[in-house]
Amino acid sequence: MSSDFRLRTLKPQYEQLFATCQLRRSCLEPTGRIAQEILQRQGDYGLVERQTGVPWWFVGILHYRELDFRDAHLHNGDSLTNRTIRYPQGRPIAPPANGQRYTFVESAIDALRWKQFHTAKDHSIGAMLWGFELWNGFRDAKGGNNSEYLWNGTNHFSSSLGNQLLVGNSNDSYGQEHKIGAAAIVWYLYYQGMLNQPLQFASSQSSVNWQQPSNTGSIQFLDLLRGYGKLPHQDAALAWLQQQQSPSVLREFTRRWQDDADRKLVSVGKSAVVQLSNGTQLPTNFVLPQQSRKPESRGTMPQTGIRLRVLSDTVFKTCTQQSYQLKDSEKVFVKADTEFEITSDQPAENKHIQVVLANVALGTPPRKTWYVFCDHVEIEGSEPDNAPKNQQQSDLIKINSEKIGPIQLPGYDNTVYLSEAIITGGHFSWAEATKNGTRIPTDKSIVEGILKIAEVMEEVREYFGNRPILVNSWYRDPVTNRQVGGATRSRHLSGDAVDFVVEGISPMSVNRRLDSWWGSRGGLASASSFTHIDARGYRARWSYGF
C-alpha cells in the first residue's frame, strides 16, 4: 500500500485488492453474523443515507467498527444523552428531536456531515474503501501496510498468529483479538446478494474473484457450493443466479433437480417454496418457473386474509435476540418485497413481531412461527369474518365532577370512577373505555393498554381540531368480542384499540387523513360507520368491507 494517501493514488490499489480478496474460513461465521446485524438495522441506516447520500451499508459497517453496534455518538462513542464531550466537542449542534436524547440516526447524520462525507460524489468500491481508511485516519495503514481496519479476516492482512488458511482449506484461525475488517464485510454483503445496488468499479478490468481454490484457473461451481455450505443468505445468491438463466434452462434444471412426484409446491406471492419428501426446502425467494407449479396444489392453502409484506431485507428469527447472537438454524434471511399469508401477528419485546405463517414453513428444521423486527414489515388485511357490529354509544357516562360508579382496576390500589378522565386533563372517561363499567379489565396489562391508547386518542382529537369524538368500542372481554363478531386476536382484547367517530367528518375521510400520520405506530382500519385505531406498535392496515 502506498504511503501517498490521496484518493486518486489509492483507489486503483483498493479496487485491485478487493478484486483479489479472499475470506478466511474462520471469518465466514462471524462476518455472517455482522452482516445480518447490519441488515437488521438497515431501516435506521437507510434514514442516514437519505439525509447524507452515504450508502446504508457503509453506515452500518462504521457502526460495527466504531461502536460494536452500540447506541452512542458515531463521532467518538460518547453517550447519546448529551452532546459529545470529547473531540469533536458539542456535537450535534441541534438539540435532539425528541427533546430528551439523541438517536444514533441523528448522531450519524451529524458525524458524516461534520467529516464532510455527505459531499462525496464517487461511490465506487475503491472510493468507499478509501473512505473507511479516511474515517480511521489511515492509522494502521501507514508505512505501506494493508490495514487491519479494512482487511482483517482476508488474505490481505496477516495477524501475529502467522499464516492463515483461506476459504476452501482446512481449519484455520484469524486475528480474533481484532474486529472483522470493513472490506471483508463489504465482500460478504456483495457475494451474498445483500446489497440492493451493484458495487461500482472505476476500472473495467477490475473483476472480482469468486473464491476459487488458488490451484485452479476457473470457477468450479460444485466446489464453490461445497466450500460455502451452511452459510446464511445463500438463497439470495441462488435468486441472482436464477435471474441470469433463460426460462428453458430453469425448466430443465427444475425437472432434473426433483421429480414432480416428490415435490410439493406452495405459492407465496412472488416467491415459492419447494418442500421435498425428506422435509428439505429450497429458499423462499428461489422462484421456480410458473410451468412447474402443480395444479393440484392450488386451492389447498388456507385463506386467512392476513398478509405480511417485507419492506426491506430482514431476518426471520426464532426469538427476539439480535441476529448475530443466533445460530444459522435459528434465523432465515428474507428479501424485501416478499409476501406471506399469515394466521396471526402479535407484538413482541424489543420492537419485534411474532408471526405465524399460514402456508409455508421456513428454515431447517421447518418452522412457521417467527419473530421479525417491526419496522421491516407491514400487515395487510384481517380475518375474513372480522366484522364487528359496533353501535354508537351515546349513553356512555362522560367526564364530570360527580363521582359516578367506583371501579377497581387490577394491579392498581386506588379506586377510580367511571366519570373520571383516563388521562388527567383528558377528554375520555373510564366509562367510555369499559362501556359504563360492564367490561372491567381482568389483568393489569389490559389497563396499561387502555392508558396507552387513551394518550393516542387525545392526539387524534387534537389532530382534528379538538372536535368531539364518539367512542363505539374500546376494551372488549373475550365473550363480548365473540358476540360482536370481532377478530379472534382483536387488539380490543388487549385494551389498546378504539373504534370511534369524529364529529362532522366521515370515517373514510378520517382513515385517509390518519394513515400517514399514524404510520407504523399501529393498526388503522376503515369502515363506513367508524374508524379503528390500535397501538400494537407496527404498521397494520385493512378494510372491514362495509
Side-chain angles (χ1 to χ4, degrees):
M1 181 64 63
S2 171
S3 57
D4 180 353
F5 298 132
R6 289 177 298 177
L7 173 60
R8 68 181 183 185
T9 301
L10 293 182
K11 185 167 76 169
Q13 298 180 45
Y14 284 132
E15 286 200 355
Q16 185 57 38
L17 286 169
F18 191 79
T20 56
C21 179
Q22 297 183 36
L23 276 183
R24 303 190 184 280
R25 176 184 292 273
S26 56
C27 292
L28 287 172
E29 183 178 352
T31 308
R33 290 197 302 268
I34 295 163
Q36 288 196 28
E37 183 65 21
I38 291 172
L39 277 184
Q40 184 81 1
R41 298 167 180 264
Q42 185 181 345
D44 284 345
Y45 303 147
L47 294 175
V48 178
E49 178 177 8
R50 285 195 286 274
Q51 294 294 320
T52 64
V54 177
W56 61 267
W57 51 267
F58 187 96
V59 180
I61 294 172
L62 282 182
H63 195 188
Y64 159 70
R65 284 290 319 189
E66 298 295 321
L67 300 173
D68 277 325
F69 296 119
R70 289 184 297 109
D71 278 341
H73 279 298
L74 187 58
H75 312 71
N76 55 19
D78 283 351
S79 171
L80 291 172
T81 56
N82 296 294
R83 293 185 173 95
T84 55
I85 298 173
R86 297 173 294 172
Y87 179 81
Q89 191 175 21
R91 307 292 306 192
I93 296 175
N98 62 16
Q100 299 176 354
R101 174 188 174 93
Y102 290 101
T103 65
F104 171 78
V105 170
E106 291 174 293
S107 176
I109 291 170
D110 184 78
L112 289 163
R113 287 175 173 170
W114 176 70
K115 289 203 171 191
Q116 299 188 13
F117 274 54
H118 66 296
T119 64
K121 305 299 183 185
D122 187 349
H123 287 172
S124 66
I125 183 59
M128 299 308 287
L129 295 180
W130 181 84
F132 284 121
E133 295 273 42
L134 178 65
W135 188 279
N136 193 45
F138 294 93
R139 282 197 290 268
D140 54 351
K142 295 175 181 177
N145 298 318
N146 292 338
S147 70
E148 178 273 335
Y149 195 89
L150 266 190
W151 302 107
N152 189 43
T154 75
N155 57 316
H156 294 315
F157 180 81
S158 296
S159 75
S160 59
L161 297 180
N163 293 330
Q164 304 153 5
L165 302 175
L166 303 176
V167 170
N169 293 312
S170 57
N171 294 333
D172 67 310
S173 60
Y174 74 102
Q176 297 187 24
E177 71 277 14
H178 301 297
K179 296 179 181 179
I180 296 294
I185 302 170
V186 177
W187 188 97
Y188 189 95
L189 290 168
Y190 181 61
Y191 281 116
Q192 292 299 327
M194 298 160 73
L195 299 181
N196 51 10
Q197 56 186 6
L199 293 179
Q200 303 172 29
F201 288 86
S203 174
S204 59
Q205 65 265 26
S206 293
S207 58
V208 182
N209 185 341
W210 268 77
Q211 290 306 291
Q212 65 265 30
S214 56
N215 293 332
T216 63
S218 62
I219 298 171
Q220 300 298 314
F221 186 63
L222 291 180
D223 288 342
L224 177 70
L225 293 181
R226 293 189 188 106
Y228 280 79
K230 299 181 180 178
L231 290 181
H233 317 317
Q234 290 178 336
D235 50 352
L238 288 172
W240 175 86
L241 182 63
Q242 173 191 272
Q243 294 170 4
Q244 315 307 311
Q245 309 304 318
S246 66
S248 60
V249 170
L250 288 172
R251 284 195 295 272
E252 179 62 15
F253 172 77
T254 303
R255 185 189 69 79
R256 291 172 181 247
W257 182 265
Q258 184 70 27
D259 184 82
D260 282 351
D262 296 328
R263 180 175 80 239
K264 180 182 179 182
L265 183 62
V266 181
S267 171
V268 188
K270 300 178 182 178
S271 307
V273 171
V274 178
Q275 182 164 330
L276 308 182
S277 57
N278 63 359
T280 303
Q281 294 185 331
L282 290 180
T284 58
N285 56 354
F286 186 92
V287 185
L288 293 176
Q290 294 296 313
Q291 293 87 336
S292 67
R293 180 172 296 171
K294 292 182 67 176
E296 60 268 28
S297 70
R298 290 177 167 232
T300 62
M301 298 172 286
Q303 300 298 314
T304 69
I306 313 173
R307 297 191 71 79
L308 176 79
R309 175 179 295 127
V310 180
L311 302 176
S312 60
D313 292 354
T314 190
V315 179
F316 282 21
K317 305 178 291 186
T318 58
C319 65
T320 62
Q321 286 181 265
Q322 293 186 350
S323 57
Y324 75 89
Q325 297 174 317
L326 302 178
K327 300 176 183 176
D328 287 346
S329 61
E330 298 173 326
K331 54 195 175 185
V332 174
F333 174 71
V334 181
K335 294 288 287 182
D337 298 324
T338 306
E339 294 185 2
F340 298 93
E341 191 167 9
I342 62 175
T343 61
S344 70
D345 60 281
Q346 292 291 329
E349 59 183 1
N350 301 328
K351 294 191 68 177
H352 283 69
I353 311 172
Q354 182 198 65
V355 295
V356 179
L357 306 181
N359 304 321
V360 293
L362 306 180
T364 305
R367 295 183 177 92
K368 287 192 172 183
T369 301
W370 293 94
Y371 293 87
V372 60
F373 188 59
C374 63
D375 289 347
H376 293 176
V377 296
E378 68 178 4
I379 307 295
E380 283 191 353
S382 183
E383 298 174 16
D385 55 352
N386 182 18
K389 301 174 180 63
N390 289 326
Q391 301 296 323
Q392 292 189 5
Q393 305 294 324
S394 58
D395 61 341
L396 293 178
I397 299 171
K398 303 298 182 182
I399 297 170
N400 62 75
S401 57
E402 183 181 355
K403 293 185 176 181
I404 302 174
I407 58 175
Q408 196 68 43
L409 300 174
Y412 292 83
D413 296 331
N414 57 312
T415 298
V416 301
Y417 293 86
L418 295 175
S419 54
E420 284 184 3
I422 301 173
I423 304 297
T424 302
H427 301 84
F428 300 92
S429 69
W430 281 105
E432 292 173 293
T434 65
K435 197 181 179 183
N436 283 344
T438 62
R439 304 173 185 174
I440 301 300
T442 56
D443 187 85
K444 182 180 180 181
S445 64
I446 297 174
V447 180
E448 292 171 346
I450 292 174
L451 294 169
K452 184 177 183 180
I453 198 66
E455 295 275 9
V456 172
M457 292 305 297
E458 296 294 344
E459 292 183 51
V460 172
R461 192 178 190 278
E462 184 178 358
Y463 183 80
F464 286 103
N466 290 313
R467 287 173 177 262
I469 289 179
L470 185 64
V471 173
N472 282 18
S473 183
W474 200 313
Y475 167 63
R476 298 182 198 141
D477 57 77
V479 173
T480 300
N481 189 62
R482 287 193 296 271
Q483 290 174 344
V484 303
T488 56
R489 293 178 176 82
S490 170
R491 296 306 306 175
H492 290 277
L493 295 167
S494 301
D496 65 352
V498 180
D499 297 344
F500 64 97
V501 176
V502 179
E503 185 178 280
I505 305 177
S506 72
M508 294 296 185
S509 178
V510 169
N511 182 275
R512 285 194 300 271
R513 290 169 65 176
L514 287 180
D515 185 32
S516 60
W517 173 83
W518 191 230
S520 60
R521 295 169 64 185
L524 192 66
S526 62
S528 60
S529 57
F530 65 88
T531 301
H532 168 100
I533 193 169
D534 66 61
R536 68 184 68 191
Y538 53 90
R539 183 182 177 88
R541 298 291 188 270
W542 69 95
S543 170
Y544 288 105
F546 61 84

